[in-house]
Amino acid sequence: MTDRAGGPAAASTAGQFLDPGQPAGRRRMVSDAFAARFGTAPEVVGRAPGRINLIGEHTDYNGGRCLPLALPHATYAAVRRRDDDVVTIHSRTVDETWSGSLADLAAAGGWAAYAAGTLWAMEVDHGVDLLIDSSVPVGSGLSSSAALECAVAVATDGLSGRHLDEARRRELATACRRAETEVAGAPTGGMDQLVAMLAPEGDALLIDFHDDSVRAVPVPLAEVGLELLVIDTGVRHALADGAYAARRRECAAAAHLLGVPLLARAAQDSWSRLEDDVLMRRARHVLSEGERVDTADQAIVEGEWAELGAVLDASHASLAHDFEVSCEELDAAVESSRAAGALGARMTGGGFGGSAIALVETDDVGVVAASVLAEYASRGWSAPTFLRVGPSPAADTVP
Ligand code: ADP
Ligand code: MG
């Protein structure tokens, strides 16, 4: 069973390049909408990016490494402090309003759980009016959920005028992750909130979930005439959430059999000791993906772009065959990108729909997008949406 994700807004951009807009223009839009709804200007506007994961998929909850980068596409949150304990949150994306008291925050459901849950996890002790707008496609594997949480977090934190240093950014990332796992009820490994809060502008962020350490990885693609093309398939298969939980259980079972607390801590070739074919393949993906993160990191440092493309391809194959989280729409996006000249391509995010990324020469972006569009049309599928992306700044207030 397949859902078309994103509703009318996504449908109207299908087959096109999705413009992230400029922060100043987006700030004006969200401030004007806030004033129209709440009668005064907001005190603070926060911005938090969506993300792609370059490589290192399904590794965060296994204590492994990943290499995400922040997108220019972002969620904006305008906020004003209230003197009572009333919280009102309006999202222009879904055109819905949630309202309640501070005591109701942890009981918010649906989309509001991500926003109200963030205020709950931050232990906000006063009411707020919030207005949300976004250029991140929703439910497309580009982490609109963390973008929503982190936009709410930096905007609301900004009411105090406190400086956002790395320690505070990490605290907010933890609060956002708690909102997603404990209030929205979506198990998440932590990559999305950390990259949204810590991404260095212009760089990808290598995160090692062994100790939650981070390191900036400069990715000078534009300088060498390359870019990353995101293909949002527009589909989200209904089994996605259940399968994600199942993969987590399988990884935990494999780790247990190998005698380690988290699968990424097992010795590199220890997967071959597992007798169960499914657990063996899950472990082989997680352990080999860790090696591919290192290979990608090295290829980027050395400017070996063909090598980077090859390791993206290898990651996709592992996710499709060993981890079994791809689907025919993702495979088609990846294969037609490569056929049209991409240096490499892979699914990104949890899988079962959502988005793929392709490493493409800037001159070939149009050809690659046209090739994917033609492939989708020939299969009778709706047109995907494309995003041209490069490493963008982390969440912050927008002055
Ligand atoms: P992804 O994070 O890949 O986009 P998720 O399923 O994790 O997909 O999160 C999508 C959900 O997050 C949406 O179904 C909605 O509940 C919520 N959400 C994200 N962005 C917004 C937004 N701008 N307004 C309202 N809800 C949002
Ligand atoms: Mg998400």
Side-chain angles (χ1 to χ4, degrees):
M1 211 191 103
T2 298
D3 293 326
R4 302 303 303 182
S12 67
T13 54
Q16 298 173 10
F17 292 93
L18 189 65
D19 178 14
Q22 292 298 323
R26 290 270 171 183
R27 185 195 200 286
R28 226 174 7 257
M29 267 171 58
V30 75
S31 298
D32 289 351
F34 186 100
R37 178 161 293 268
F38 295 115
T40 60
E43 289 174 63
V44 182
V45 174
R47 171 195 171 283
R51 62 101 188 93
I52 54 168
N53 188 15
L54 204 50
I55 198 156
E57 211 66 79
H58 285 274
T59 54
D60 56 356
Y61 57 83
N62 286 304
R65 300 181 289 288
C66 58
L67 188 58
L69 55 88
L71 301 183
H73 302 75
T75 297
Y76 293 77
V79 67
R80 179 180 64 179
R81 185 191 183 99
R82 296 177 59 112
D83 294 329
D84 54 19
D85 72 346
V86 173
V87 173
T88 302
I89 310 169
H90 178 78
S91 168
R92 296 188 81 202
T93 313
V94 294
D95 193 24
E96 282 182 25
T97 305
W98 180 89
S99 196
S101 73
L102 290 174
D104 303 326
L105 291 174
W111 68 272
Y114 299 88
T118 299
L119 299 174
W120 167 78
M122 290 172 71
E123 299 181 2
V124 170
D125 62 1
H126 54 80
V128 286
D129 292 325
L130 270 162
L131 189 131
I132 312 294
D133 201 1
S134 184
S135 61
V136 185
V138 171
S140 294
L142 303 175
S143 199
S144 71
S145 57
L148 172 56
E149 293 147 13
C150 294
V152 167
V154 293
T156 307
D157 199 58
L159 290 171
S160 69
R162 186 189 336 221
H163 177 59
L164 263 185
D165 57 12
E166 185 181 329
R168 184 62 183 156
R169 287 177 173 276
R170 282 182 177 272
E171 283 172 10
L172 294 180
T174 300
C176 291
R177 185 177 172 195
R178 287 193 67 196
E180 185 145 346
T181 53
E182 296 175 41
V183 182
T188 173
M191 166 175 70
D192 300 347
Q193 292 80 11
L194 271 185
V195 66
M197 290 306 304
L198 296 178
E201 182 169 4
D203 300 339
L205 188 74
L206 193 121
I207 308 175
D208 188 342
F209 282 92
H210 184 72
D211 55 6
D212 283 2
S213 61
V214 297
R215 172 164 61 80
V217 177
V219 189
L221 292 179
E223 290 169 25
V224 292
L226 290 171
E227 63 181 84
L228 289 160
L229 178 66
V230 177
I231 303 144
D232 173 4
T233 65
V235 300
R236 179 169 190 163
H237 292 281
L239 52 73
D241 291 345
Y244 183 86
R247 292 299 173 277
R248 289 189 68 139
R249 279 197 305 275
E250 290 158 357
C251 288
H256 180 74
L257 288 171
L258 294 173
V260 287
L262 290 167
L263 190 47
R265 309 233 175 122
Q268 196 57 48
D269 292 327
S270 59
W271 52 264
S272 61
R273 301 209 312 261
L274 294 167
E275 280 163 24
D276 181 276
D277 177 63
V278 169
L279 296 188
M280 182 274 283
R281 287 185 290 118
R282 303 302 187 249
R284 183 164 62 188
H285 166 71
V286 170
L287 292 170
S288 62
E289 187 77 349
E291 277 191 335
R292 283 187 290 271
V293 171
D294 296 342
T295 305
D297 181 22
Q298 186 83 12
I300 291 167
V301 170
E302 293 171 356
E304 296 288 349
W305 306 113
E307 171 79 14
L308 178 61
V311 82
L312 297 181
D313 289 347
S315 172
H316 187 81
S318 178
L319 286 157
H321 303 125
D322 274 354
F323 218 63
E324 296 181 282
V325 291
S326 189
C327 60
E328 56 179 351
E329 292 89 349
L330 286 168
D331 292 343
V334 162
E335 281 155 24
S336 47
S337 296
R338 287 182 200 144
L343 280 72
R346 62 181 288 272
M347 53 160 280
T348 189
F352 301 104
S355 299
I357 55 171
L359 179 64
V360 180
E361 286 183 19
T362 299
D363 291 344
D364 290 344
V365 166
V367 176
V368 170
S371 155
V372 177
L373 277 177
E375 179 65 21
Y376 270 53
S378 78
R379 298 197 188 208
W381 297 338
S382 302
T385 302
F386 301 96
L387 292 74
R388 302 177 74 161
V389 306
S392 300
D396 216 330
T397 54
V398 190

